[in-house]
Amino acid sequence: QVQVVESGGGLVQAGGSLRLSCAASGSIHRINHMGWYRQAPGKQRELVAVLTSGGSTNYADSLKGRFTISRDNARNTVYLQMNSVKPEDTAVYYCNFNLVTTTRATVAFWGQGTQVTVSS
């Protein structure tokens, strides 16, 4: 089994910073890529950033320059550094791991979601 646990959400003032963390553990053979998504009230879930096993990154155009995705391979952990946050960044943030399990199945696992609220 694989467990994915997020942390780091909360309330932050506009212009401030916040860092989200997400750790995967359990029956992991290899992580292919990892990413962050978000879902605001009444909206569809959207891509925030993706980080591949080769180190390539892809960001939503509106977030480039403010958000940074990074990882700690030894801890199977992905981070999202959020700077200069805006009220429109308010959403539930979900991490995602696309990985290969020890039984060689390729599966996508989602975190439980963490609320980020930006006050104006």
Side-chain angles (χ1 to χ4, degrees):
Q1 278 193 328
V2 174
Q3 297 79 40
V4 177
V5 179
E6 296 184 36
S7 61
L11 177 64
V12 60
Q13 286 191 332
S17 298
L18 204 62
R19 190 175 84 151
L20 308 182
S21 301
C22 183
S25 61
S27 305
I28 300 170
H29 171 65
R30 183 183 73 247
I31 295 175
N32 293 326
H33 55 265
M34 50 188 75
W36 288 95
Y37 295 74
R38 69 184 183 183
Q39 187 166 17
K43 295 187 177 181
Q44 289 188 331
R45 190 173 298 189
E46 64 177 1
L47 171 73
V48 173
V50 171
L51 175 58
T52 70
S53 59
S56 298
T57 57
N58 184 34
Y59 293 90
D61 287 342
S62 63
L63 302 177
K64 289 179 181 177
R66 294 195 298 122
F67 289 12
T68 303
I69 188 171
S70 62
R71 67 188 179 198
D72 182 334
N73 289 333
R75 293 182 170 84
N76 288 336
T77 299
V78 62
Y79 304 98
L80 183 69
Q81 179 67 42
M82 306 167 60
N83 296 330
S84 302
V85 295
K86 304 175 181 180
E88 51 263 42
D89 294 323
T90 295
V92 178
Y93 284 71
Y94 298 91
C95 64
N96 174 274
F97 285 86
N98 181 288
L99 57 85
V100 180
T101 68
T102 53
T103 60
R104 300 305 188 264
T106 299
V107 187
F109 289 90
W110 290 89
Q112 79 277 16
T114 187
Q115 177 70 46
V116 173
T117 303
V118 182
S119 62
S120 56

Short mmCIF file of all heavy atoms in Angstrom, two decimals, residues 7 12 16 18 24 27 30 32 37 50 61-62 65 71 76 79 83 85 89-90 94 105-106 111-112 114-115 119:
data_model
loop_
_atom_site.label_atom_id
_atom_site.label_comp_id
_atom_site.label_asym_id
_atom_site.label_seq_id
_atom_site.Cartn_x
_atom_site.Cartn_y
_atom_site.Cartn_z
N SER A 7 0.68 18.45 4.12
CA SER A 7 0.68 19.36 5.26
C SER A 7 1.07 20.75 4.78
O SER A 7 1.60 20.91 3.67
CB SER A 7 1.66 18.88 6.33
OG SER A 7 2.99 18.84 5.81
N VAL A 12 -3.23 32.82 5.18
CA VAL A 12 -2.10 33.72 4.95
C VAL A 12 -2.63 35.02 4.35
O VAL A 12 -3.63 35.01 3.62
CB VAL A 12 -1.05 33.05 4.02
CG1 VAL A 12 -1.65 32.68 2.67
CG2 VAL A 12 0.18 33.90 3.86
N GLY A 16 1.90 37.39 1.21
CA GLY A 16 2.71 36.51 2.06
C GLY A 16 3.13 35.24 1.35
O GLY A 16 2.95 35.08 0.13
N LEU A 18 3.76 30.76 1.75
CA LEU A 18 3.33 29.52 2.40
C LEU A 18 4.03 28.38 1.69
O LEU A 18 4.28 28.46 0.47
CB LEU A 18 1.81 29.36 2.26
CG LEU A 18 1.04 28.49 3.26
CD1 LEU A 18 1.17 29.05 4.67
CD2 LEU A 18 -0.43 28.43 2.87
N ALA A 24 5.03 10.73 0.25
CA ALA A 24 4.52 9.41 -0.10
C ALA A 24 5.35 8.35 0.60
O ALA A 24 6.57 8.48 0.72
CB ALA A 24 4.56 9.21 -1.61
N SER A 27 4.73 1.01 -0.31
CA SER A 27 5.23 0.06 -1.32
C SER A 27 5.58 0.77 -2.63
O SER A 27 4.94 0.56 -3.67
CB SER A 27 4.19 -1.03 -1.56
OG SER A 27 3.84 -1.67 -0.35
N ARG A 30 9.30 3.20 -7.64
CA ARG A 30 9.85 4.36 -8.33
C ARG A 30 8.76 5.42 -8.50
O ARG A 30 7.62 5.10 -8.76
CB ARG A 30 10.38 3.96 -9.71
CG ARG A 30 11.05 5.08 -10.49
CD ARG A 30 11.47 4.63 -11.89
NE ARG A 30 10.35 4.45 -12.78
CZ ARG A 30 9.97 3.27 -13.27
NH1 ARG A 30 10.61 2.16 -12.93
NH2 ARG A 30 8.95 3.19 -14.11
N ASN A 32 7.48 8.35 -10.84
CA ASN A 32 7.65 8.88 -12.19
C ASN A 32 7.60 10.40 -12.20
O ASN A 32 8.52 11.05 -12.67
CB ASN A 32 6.58 8.31 -13.11
CG ASN A 32 6.75 6.82 -13.33
OD1 ASN A 32 7.88 6.30 -13.37
ND2 ASN A 32 5.65 6.12 -13.48
N TYR A 37 -2.07 20.29 -7.68
CA TYR A 37 -3.28 20.77 -8.32
C TYR A 37 -4.07 21.55 -7.28
O TYR A 37 -3.83 21.43 -6.07
CB TYR A 37 -4.12 19.59 -8.85
CG TYR A 37 -3.45 18.81 -9.95
CD1 TYR A 37 -2.39 17.95 -9.67
CD2 TYR A 37 -3.83 18.94 -11.27
CE1 TYR A 37 -1.76 17.24 -10.68
CE2 TYR A 37 -3.22 18.23 -12.29
CZ TYR A 37 -2.18 17.38 -11.97
OH TYR A 37 -1.55 16.69 -12.98
N VAL A 50 3.98 20.62 -12.11
CA VAL A 50 4.38 19.23 -12.21
C VAL A 50 5.90 19.17 -12.26
O VAL A 50 6.54 20.02 -12.89
CB VAL A 50 3.79 18.55 -13.46
CG1 VAL A 50 4.39 17.17 -13.65
CG2 VAL A 50 2.28 18.45 -13.35
N ASP A 61 0.49 28.91 -16.40
CA ASP A 61 1.04 30.18 -16.85
C ASP A 61 0.83 31.30 -15.84
O ASP A 61 1.72 32.14 -15.62
CB ASP A 61 0.41 30.58 -18.19
CG ASP A 61 0.91 29.72 -19.34
OD1 ASP A 61 1.96 29.08 -19.18
OD2 ASP A 61 0.23 29.69 -20.39
N SER A 62 -0.31 31.31 -15.19
CA SER A 62 -0.63 32.40 -14.27
C SER A 62 0.18 32.36 -12.98
O SER A 62 0.18 33.33 -12.22
CB SER A 62 -2.13 32.35 -13.92
OG SER A 62 -2.44 31.14 -13.25
N GLY A 65 6.73 32.21 -11.70
CA GLY A 65 7.41 33.28 -11.01
C GLY A 65 6.98 33.49 -9.58
O GLY A 65 7.68 34.14 -8.80
N ARG A 71 11.49 18.94 -4.75
CA ARG A 71 11.34 17.60 -4.19
C ARG A 71 12.53 17.22 -3.34
O ARG A 71 13.63 17.78 -3.47
CB ARG A 71 11.18 16.56 -5.30
CG ARG A 71 12.44 16.39 -6.12
CD ARG A 71 12.22 15.51 -7.34
NE ARG A 71 13.46 15.39 -8.11
CZ ARG A 71 13.50 15.00 -9.36
NH1 ARG A 71 12.38 14.67 -9.99
NH2 ARG A 71 14.65 14.90 -9.99
N ASN A 76 10.90 11.02 -0.53
CA ASN A 76 9.71 10.89 -1.39
C ASN A 76 8.72 12.02 -1.11
O ASN A 76 7.51 11.79 -0.95
CB ASN A 76 9.02 9.53 -1.20
CG ASN A 76 9.81 8.40 -1.80
OD1 ASN A 76 10.62 8.59 -2.71
ND2 ASN A 76 9.60 7.20 -1.28
N TYR A 79 7.33 19.53 -2.57
CA TYR A 79 7.00 20.79 -1.92
C TYR A 79 6.42 21.78 -2.93
O TYR A 79 6.72 21.71 -4.12
CB TYR A 79 8.25 21.41 -1.29
CG TYR A 79 8.97 20.53 -0.32
CD1 TYR A 79 10.08 19.78 -0.72
CD2 TYR A 79 8.55 20.42 1.00
CE1 TYR A 79 10.75 18.96 0.16
CE2 TYR A 79 9.22 19.60 1.90
CZ TYR A 79 10.32 18.87 1.48
OH TYR A 79 10.97 18.05 2.36
N ASN A 83 4.76 32.10 -3.07
CA ASN A 83 5.16 33.46 -2.70
C ASN A 83 4.21 34.47 -3.33
O ASN A 83 3.54 34.20 -4.32
CB ASN A 83 6.58 33.74 -3.17
CG ASN A 83 7.61 32.87 -2.49
OD1 ASN A 83 7.45 32.44 -1.34
ND2 ASN A 83 8.69 32.56 -3.20
N VAL A 85 1.35 35.55 -2.55
CA VAL A 85 0.04 34.94 -2.77
C VAL A 85 -1.04 36.00 -2.92
O VAL A 85 -0.91 37.12 -2.40
CB VAL A 85 -0.32 33.95 -1.64
CG1 VAL A 85 0.64 32.77 -1.64
CG2 VAL A 85 -0.34 34.64 -0.29
N ASP A 89 -5.69 32.78 -5.11
CA ASP A 89 -4.98 31.52 -4.88
C ASP A 89 -5.71 30.66 -3.83
O ASP A 89 -5.31 29.52 -3.59
CB ASP A 89 -3.56 31.77 -4.40
CG ASP A 89 -2.69 32.43 -5.45
OD1 ASP A 89 -2.86 32.10 -6.64
OD2 ASP A 89 -1.86 33.28 -5.08
N THR A 90 -6.75 31.20 -3.24
CA THR A 90 -7.53 30.45 -2.26
C THR A 90 -8.15 29.22 -2.92
O THR A 90 -8.85 29.33 -3.92
CB THR A 90 -8.63 31.33 -1.65
OG1 THR A 90 -8.02 32.38 -0.90
CG2 THR A 90 -9.54 30.51 -0.73
N TYR A 94 -4.10 19.90 -3.78
CA TYR A 94 -3.90 18.45 -3.77
C TYR A 94 -2.55 18.11 -4.40
O TYR A 94 -2.22 18.62 -5.46
CB TYR A 94 -4.99 17.75 -4.57
CG TYR A 94 -6.38 17.94 -4.06
CD1 TYR A 94 -7.18 18.99 -4.51
CD2 TYR A 94 -6.93 17.06 -3.13
CE1 TYR A 94 -8.48 19.17 -4.05
CE2 TYR A 94 -8.23 17.22 -2.67
CZ TYR A 94 -8.99 18.28 -3.13
OH TYR A 94 -10.28 18.43 -2.67
N ALA A 105 2.99 -2.06 -10.57
CA ALA A 105 1.81 -1.39 -11.11
C ALA A 105 2.07 0.11 -11.13
O ALA A 105 2.62 0.66 -10.17
CB ALA A 105 0.59 -1.70 -10.24
N THR A 106 1.67 0.78 -12.20
CA THR A 106 1.78 2.24 -12.31
C THR A 106 0.45 2.85 -11.89
O THR A 106 -0.58 2.59 -12.52
CB THR A 106 2.14 2.66 -13.73
OG1 THR A 106 3.41 2.09 -14.08
CG2 THR A 106 2.24 4.19 -13.82
N GLY A 111 -3.08 13.17 -2.58
CA GLY A 111 -3.15 13.55 -1.18
C GLY A 111 -4.57 13.88 -0.77
O GLY A 111 -5.47 13.95 -1.61
N GLN A 112 -4.75 14.10 0.52
CA GLN A 112 -6.10 14.32 1.05
C GLN A 112 -6.60 15.74 0.81
O GLN A 112 -7.78 16.01 1.00
CB GLN A 112 -6.13 14.01 2.56
CG GLN A 112 -5.57 15.10 3.47
CD GLN A 112 -4.06 15.06 3.61
OE1 GLN A 112 -3.35 14.41 2.82
NE2 GLN A 112 -3.54 15.75 4.62
N THR A 114 -5.31 20.05 1.14
CA THR A 114 -5.07 20.99 2.23
C THR A 114 -5.60 22.36 1.83
O THR A 114 -5.37 22.83 0.71
CB THR A 114 -3.57 21.04 2.60
OG1 THR A 114 -3.38 21.85 3.77
CG2 THR A 114 -2.71 21.60 1.48
N GLN A 115 -6.32 22.99 2.73
CA GLN A 115 -6.95 24.28 2.43
C GLN A 115 -5.94 25.41 2.55
O GLN A 115 -5.23 25.52 3.57
CB GLN A 115 -8.12 24.53 3.39
CG GLN A 115 -8.80 25.88 3.21
CD GLN A 115 -9.59 25.97 1.92
OE1 GLN A 115 -10.34 25.07 1.58
NE2 GLN A 115 -9.43 27.07 1.19
N SER A 119 -6.18 35.96 2.61
CA SER A 119 -7.02 37.09 2.99
C SER A 119 -6.49 38.37 2.34
O SER A 119 -5.28 38.55 2.19
CB SER A 119 -7.05 37.25 4.51
OG SER A 119 -5.76 37.52 5.01
#
